[in-house]
Amino acid sequence: MVMDIWRKIKQKEIAPIYLLFGTESFLINETKQLLLNHILTEEEKDFNFASYDLEETPIEVAIEDAETFPFLGEKKVIFLHNPVFLTAEKTKEKAVHNISRFEMYLKEPSPYSVLVISAPYEKLDERKKITKELKRTAEVVEAKKLNEHDLKNWVKGRAKNSGIEFEQDAIDQLLALVGTNMFMITSEVDKLALYAAGEKRIDVSLVEKLVARSLEQNIFTLIEKVVQRKLDEALRIYYDLLKQNEEPIKILALLAGQFRLIYQVKELSRRGYGQQQIAGYLRTHPFRVKLALGQANKFSDEELAHLIDLLAEADYQMKTGGMNKSLLIEMFLFHLKK
C-alpha cells in the first residue's frame, strides 16, 4: 500500500526503481515529492535531478543518464513520465524506444540512481514482457482512489503530522463538504491544522467555519435542502452561486448528474448491490455513493424519473435559447417542492 512505501521512504529505505501507476494524481505527485526531498538536498537537486517525457524522449537517453555518475552527491533521481509502452493504448508518441535496453537495465540497475517511472494510466498491459519485468523489479505504487476508510485515516494522519487531532465527526463533515478530491482535501486539512495550532484539535464547528465548499458540494447541499422541503434555503444557495458568477448551464449539468446518480444508486441497491459494488459499477467514489444512497430514500422512482425528464427539458430550453437560463433552474426548484 502507498502509505507503507511512504513510511519506507521517510526511513531512507530507498529502492533503485519505482513504478507509480494509476489515476489518483495526488498520490503519484506526493510520492515523487517525498522521494525527491528524502534523497537529494536542495543544492543537489540542481545537479542530480532529471525529468524525461517518454512521449518525446527515447528510454535509452534516460538510462544513459542513470548510468552516469552523480555530480557532487551520492545519488541521482530521474523521473520518467508517460511510459506509453507499458499500456495497450495506441499513441502517436514521437519517440521510438529501445525496450531491450531498458530490460537489461532492470536486471542490473545503477546503484547511484533512483529511477521513478510515472504512469498515469488506470491499467498497464500485463501481457507485455516489459510490464511484467518492471513490476517484478520495481517498488510498485498503485495510485488508485482511496476508499472511505483509508481516506479518513489519511486525513487523520495528515493532521497528526502537524500535531493536531481531528475529531471523527469533523472528518465526516470535511469529506461531505469537500468531496474526495485529494488536492482539495489536503489544502483544507493544512489550512485547518494551521488555524487549530493553539487548540491542537479540529472539531465540526471549525470545519463548518473554515472549509470552502466546492461547486459540486453546493449542488449536493442544495438538493439536501430540497429533500428536507426547505425551498427557501435551496433558492438562497442557488442565488449565491449566481452571485459567484457560476454559469446556470454548469449548475444544471451538476444537478442532472447528481439526480442521475441518485436514480442509479437507488436501482442498483434494490438489485442487491453493496456500496463498493455500486461504486465500481458506476466508476465513482464509494463516499459519493454513500451520500447518494441517503438522498435516494427521500424520492420515489416516479419522482426521480419525472425530475430527470424536467432537467432534460430545461437543458434543451437552455441550449436552444427558449427561456432565461437562470429562471429555468428556479422553475425546476419550484417543481421539486411539489
Side-chain angles (χ1 to χ4, degrees):
M1 187 178 163
V2 65
M3 308 292 181
D4 296 328
I5 292 172
W6 286 359
R7 192 184 66 253
K8 284 185 189 175
I9 294 168
K10 289 171 185 174
Q11 292 169 349
K12 302 282 189 183
E13 295 175 30
I14 308 296
I17 302 170
Y18 288 85
L19 170 62
L20 321 178
F21 81 94
T23 54
E24 182 52 86
S25 54
F26 176 86
L27 296 177
I28 288 180
N29 289 347
E30 194 81 350
T31 307
K32 281 157 60 177
Q33 204 55 50
L34 268 178
L35 283 163
L36 204 52
N37 292 341
H38 282 80
I39 297 170
L40 303 179
T41 65
E42 284 304 315
E43 296 77 27
E44 287 171 341
K45 285 175 189 174
D46 292 335
F47 305 104
N48 293 330
F49 168 64
S51 179
Y52 296 95
D53 183 348
L54 297 178
E55 287 185 349
E56 304 279 340
T57 308
I59 185 77
E60 55 268 30
V61 173
I63 291 169
E64 195 174 316
D65 189 352
E67 291 177 337
T68 307
F69 281 107
F71 183 73
L72 297 177
E74 293 181 11
K75 290 274 187 187
K76 297 173 85 168
V77 176
I78 298 170
F79 286 172
L80 306 181
H81 300 282
N82 305 316
V84 288
F85 51 79
L86 295 178
T87 74
E89 293 176 20
K90 294 284 182 282
T91 57
K92 296 177 181 175
E93 76 269 25
K94 298 172 187 173
V96 177
H97 302 285
N98 185 344
I99 300 300
S100 60
R101 177 80 175 85
F102 188 29
E103 287 171 356
M104 284 170 61
Y105 182 87
L106 293 180
K107 288 187 173 73
E108 200 174 338
S110 165
Y112 38 77
S113 290
V114 177
L115 222 55
V116 183
I117 298 137
S118 176
Y121 318 117
E122 189 173 352
K123 290 180 180 175
L124 302 181
D125 190 342
E126 303 288 346
R127 298 166 300 176
K128 291 185 175 180
K129 182 185 173 188
I130 186 61
T131 305
K132 292 174 186 171
E133 283 297 306
L134 188 54
K135 280 191 145 188
R136 189 180 59 78
T137 311
E139 185 83 81
V140 180
V141 173
E142 187 176 355
K144 59 183 179 182
K145 301 283 182 190
L146 297 182
N147 61 35
E148 186 185 349
H149 178 262
D150 288 341
L151 206 52
K152 288 178 179 180
N153 281 340
W154 184 86
V155 168
K156 203 179 290 184
R158 180 87 183 187
K160 193 176 179 181
N161 287 341
S162 303
I164 306 293
E165 188 181 344
F166 224 119
E167 291 183 2
Q168 191 58 50
D169 51 355
I171 297 177
D172 293 341
Q173 185 62 4
L174 171 72
L175 296 180
L177 291 176
V178 177
T180 56
N181 181 308
M182 290 194 72
F183 286 104
M184 288 179 66
I185 293 170
T186 305
S187 171
E188 294 300 333
V189 169
D190 292 349
K191 179 174 74 179
L192 287 162
L194 197 63
Y195 194 88
E199 296 292 322
K200 302 288 184 193
R201 194 172 189 81
I202 297 170
D203 60 14
V204 172
S205 61
L206 190 62
V207 170
E208 286 282 356
K209 179 180 174 184
L210 293 183
V211 170
R213 287 153 175 78
S214 64
L215 173 58
E216 288 82 358
Q217 179 50 38
N218 274 317
I219 297 296
F220 181 84
T221 308
L222 187 153
I223 294 170
E224 272 292 297
K225 297 302 179 188
V226 169
V227 164
Q228 296 159 10
R229 302 298 184 251
K230 295 178 180 175
L231 183 63
D232 53 340
E233 292 183 36
L235 286 167
R236 196 176 309 134
I237 293 168
Y238 174 56
Y239 297 144
D240 283 344
L241 290 174
L242 292 179
K243 282 179 196 169
Q244 292 162 26
N245 294 319
E246 295 290 358
E247 285 292 327
I249 197 159
K250 189 175 180 183
I251 295 171
L252 185 70
L254 287 167
L255 277 168
Q258 184 63 26
F259 273 104
R260 274 197 304 273
L261 180 65
I262 291 169
Y263 186 87
Q264 291 168 319
V265 160
K266 188 180 179 74
E267 178 58 30
L268 289 170
S269 177
R270 183 166 40 235
R271 293 184 193 177
Y273 285 72
Q275 189 176 309
Q276 291 288 341
Q277 288 175 301
I278 295 172
Y281 186 78
L282 298 178
R283 301 174 71 83
T284 190
H285 199 282
F287 192 72
R288 281 197 70 205
V289 171
K290 180 183 175 183
L291 296 177
L293 276 168
Q295 291 182 329
N297 297 328
K298 305 294 195 308
F299 296 98
S300 69
D301 291 354
E302 293 73 23
E303 281 177 313
L304 286 170
H306 178 58
L307 293 173
I308 289 168
D309 283 344
L310 287 174
L311 285 161
E313 177 60 25
D315 181 66
Y316 175 77
Q317 293 284 350
M318 212 175 264
K319 287 172 179 171
T320 56
M323 278 184 68
N324 177 288
K325 290 179 181 178
S326 57
L327 188 59
L328 278 165
I329 296 178
E330 231 174 290
M331 288 174 63
F332 170 74
L333 292 174
F334 277 110
H335 271 293
L336 283 166
K337 177 86 180 204
K338 295 173 185 177

